[in-house]
Amino acid sequence: MPILVNLDVMLARRKMRSRELAERVGITEQNISLLKSGKVRGVRFDTLARICAALDCQPGDLLEYRAGAEDDSE
């Protein structure tokens, strides 16, 4: 998929663990892990907003479009 998730980068920049983010956002750590790996088909805007609030970032800091980054594993 040409949409890359840079959640792991923002977590590292904020020196925050997935567990702490999951608690702040109100979702499971497993869902954070799936999001970090890009194995989700979508994310709700309210969840994205809570992630951005917890990490003090913009949605564009987390999501990136990269042409040619097609995932052949579908």
Side-chain angles (χ1 to χ4, degrees):
M1 174 182 305
I3 302 295
L4 303 176
V5 180
N6 295 316
L7 182 55
D8 54 343
V9 174
M10 287 307 298
L11 283 167
R13 286 183 182 164
R14 300 299 188 250
K15 296 182 174 130
M16 186 183 297
R17 294 195 172 270
S18 296
R19 175 176 297 225
E20 181 182 351
L21 180 62
E23 290 172 0
R24 288 185 183 196
V25 173
I27 62 176
T28 66
E29 193 174 353
Q30 181 180 12
N31 282 339
I32 293 289
S33 179
L34 289 170
L35 185 57
K36 280 178 21 179
S37 67
K39 293 184 179 180
V40 295
R41 289 279 187 193
V43 61
R44 294 178 182 214
F45 282 147
D46 63 330
T47 303
L48 183 60
R50 290 193 314 264
I51 291 171
C52 288
L55 294 173
D56 190 28
C57 67
Q58 295 295 314
D61 296 327
L62 301 173
L63 304 174
E64 174 185 352
Y65 171 78
R66 191 175 296 168
E70 291 297 322
D71 183 6
D72 296 327
S73 65
E74 293 183 33

